[in-house]
């Protein structure tokens, strides 16, 4: 049960990442936000690195290529694509498109591991996706005409595909590496990749943007919760219960978005919120917990 709690917490924190990423999108460039996010994560991890550097180096040497792949997809790729997308698309569109992640995960799993897709899984994905659409459209199909898609939506779609690949590949995580050591090594690799891209795009290492309190406070949240805690929780849970089931938790994001808006922004919970939440809950139950009686 604890791994399902970890999934819920990971998705809850990531829901806030979508909101804060969009909130400060005009104050900091996507590449800067992605790089400094993980740069400061690495700073916080320095005590752990200092104490365990021998084991970390040994762990990297044993599975260097695989860990580079994890660092490229999980740390460098996903977040950068997401922040580029949030520059030109709404958080609503981003959450809608991100809901394709569970579908990508199931498809990729079936291709790589030949995992059969059951009818119950298909029904669960369809129901939870329908619940997401119902939330986004506010219970009125006519609202679909109000959705304006931008080039940023393609970045979000790429981020969803990237994350699906990362989640599926977690099955190959080196077993002798603890979850925290795995996070530390992949974070270091991700920062190195991001730094190369950062320099190639003409940026230099400076911290004047931290004088903007909105950026500073948002970055503190992003570094601690969606980065260190969410990745730690997601990695552990996905390895234990499988990518197909874990991926369904992405459909919780619109629910958390509605709840957070109710708590912090004073927005009213409408009937369509309840309908959408129920559909998503049933879909997740069928995909993650339902067992066919023999």
């Amino acid at each position: 049960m604890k791994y399902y709690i970890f999934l819920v917490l990971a998705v809850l924190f990531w829901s806030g990442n979508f909101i804060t990423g969009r909130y400060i999108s005009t104050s900091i460039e996507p590449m800067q936000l992605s790089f400094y996010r993980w740069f400061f994560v690495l700073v916080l991890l320095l005590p752990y690195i200092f104490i365990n550097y021998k084991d970390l180096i040994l762990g990297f040497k044993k599975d260097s290529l695989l860990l580079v792949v994890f660092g490229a997809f999980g740390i460098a790729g996903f977040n950068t694509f997401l922040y580029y997308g949030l520059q030109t698309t709404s958080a609503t569109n981003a959450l809608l498109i991100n809901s394709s992640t569970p579908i990508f995960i199931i498809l990729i799993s079936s291709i790589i591991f030949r995992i059969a897709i059951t009818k119950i899984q298909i029904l669960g994905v369809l129901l939870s996706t329908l619940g997401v659409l119902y939330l986004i459209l506010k219970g009125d199909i006519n609202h679909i005409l109000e959705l304006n898609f931008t080039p940023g939506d393609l970045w979000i779609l790429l981020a969803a595909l990237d994350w699906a690949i990362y989640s599926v590949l977690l099955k190959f995580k080196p077993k002798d590496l603890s979850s925290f050591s795995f996070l530390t090594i992949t974070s270091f690799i991700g920062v190195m990749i991001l730094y190369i891209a950062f320099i190639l795009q003409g940026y230099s290492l400076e911290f004047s943007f931290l004088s903007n309190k909105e950026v500073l406070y948002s970055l503190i949240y992003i570094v601690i919760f969606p980065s260190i805690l969410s990745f730690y929780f997601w990695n552990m849970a996905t390895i234990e219960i499988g990518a197909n089931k874990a991926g369904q938790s992405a459909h919780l994001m619109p629910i958390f978005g509605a709840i957070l808006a109710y708590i912090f922004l004073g927005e009213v919970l409408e009937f369509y919120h309840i309908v959408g939440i129920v559909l998503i809950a049933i879909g997740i139950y069928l995909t993650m917990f339902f067992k066919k009686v023999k």
Side-chain angles (χ1 to χ4, degrees):
M1 177 57 70
K2 71 176 182 179
Y3 295 110
Y4 292 103
I5 295 174
F6 288 163
L7 281 180
V8 171
L9 289 174
V11 174
L12 172 61
F13 299 150
W14 277 326
S15 300
N17 184 39
F18 275 75
I19 296 172
T20 52
R22 178 59 180 168
Y23 178 62
I24 61 176
S25 61
T26 58
S27 303
I28 184 171
E29 294 295 321
M31 180 53 68
Q32 288 179 302
L33 179 55
S34 188
F35 170 72
Y36 283 113
R37 167 184 178 172
W38 289 103
F39 172 81
F40 285 117
V41 166
L42 207 57
V43 170
L44 292 181
L45 292 175
L46 281 177
Y48 183 81
I49 294 173
F50 180 76
I51 295 172
N52 300 279
Y53 72 93
K54 290 184 179 179
D55 292 335
L56 294 173
I57 292 173
L58 180 62
F60 174 73
K61 286 182 177 179
K62 289 178 64 176
D63 296 281
S64 56
L65 181 58
L66 182 59
L67 290 169
V68 168
V69 170
F70 281 124
F73 277 91
I75 305 300
F78 173 74
N79 302 284
T80 305
F81 299 150
L82 174 64
Y83 293 140
Y84 269 107
L86 289 172
Q87 288 284 302
T88 55
T89 194
S90 66
T92 297
N93 276 21
L95 286 168
L96 172 61
I97 297 167
N98 187 69
S99 295
S100 63
T101 300
I103 299 173
F104 283 139
I105 287 177
I106 289 176
L107 290 175
I108 295 170
S109 293
S110 67
I111 293 172
I112 296 179
F113 302 118
R114 303 293 181 183
I115 297 176
I117 305 175
T118 66
K119 292 180 180 179
I120 290 296
Q121 277 187 318
I122 294 173
L123 178 60
V125 170
L126 289 176
L127 279 175
S128 53
T129 302
L130 181 61
V132 171
L133 288 170
Y134 199 85
L135 277 176
I136 299 297
L137 298 177
K138 300 179 180 179
D140 187 349
I141 191 65
N142 292 322
H143 285 156
I144 199 169
L145 300 176
E146 300 173 8
L147 292 176
N148 297 314
F149 291 94
T150 70
D153 297 318
L154 296 178
W155 284 108
I156 302 298
L157 187 63
L158 185 59
L161 178 60
D162 177 292
W163 189 252
I165 294 172
Y166 171 79
S167 298
V168 171
L169 291 180
L170 279 175
K171 187 179 181 70
F172 298 113
K173 170 194 167 290
K175 291 182 172 56
D176 54 345
L177 273 183
S178 69
S179 294
F180 207 77
S181 292
F182 177 72
L183 172 62
T184 302
I185 293 174
T186 53
S187 295
F188 181 83
I189 293 169
V191 169
M192 294 302 101
I193 295 172
L194 286 169
Y195 184 67
I196 293 172
F198 184 80
I199 296 300
L200 289 176
Q201 290 192 25
Y203 295 108
S204 59
L205 200 61
E206 53 87 22
F207 303 95
S208 60
F209 64 90
L210 293 179
S211 60
N212 183 325
K213 290 185 178 180
E214 292 178 350
V215 173
L216 175 60
Y217 295 147
S218 295
L219 197 57
I220 291 173
Y221 167 79
I222 290 172
V223 166
I224 296 174
F225 293 95
S227 299
I228 296 177
L229 292 180
S230 283
F231 271 76
Y232 180 68
F233 291 156
W234 179 270
N235 291 342
M236 281 199 301
T238 301
I239 291 168
E240 288 295 323
I241 70 175
N244 281 9
K245 289 184 176 181
Q248 275 297 298
S249 62
H251 282 149
L252 291 170
M253 284 191 181
I255 296 178
F256 288 140
I259 294 174
L260 291 173
Y262 171 75
I263 295 174
F264 295 107
L265 303 178
E267 295 184 6
V268 178
L269 280 176
E270 304 285 355
F271 179 71
Y272 69 80
H273 287 118
I274 306 301
V275 174
I277 288 171
V278 169
L279 286 171
I280 292 171
I282 294 173
I284 291 176
Y285 169 75
L286 290 176
T287 307
M288 299 177 71
F289 302 106
F290 180 80
K291 294 183 179 179
K292 187 175 181 181
V293 179
K294 296 183 179 179

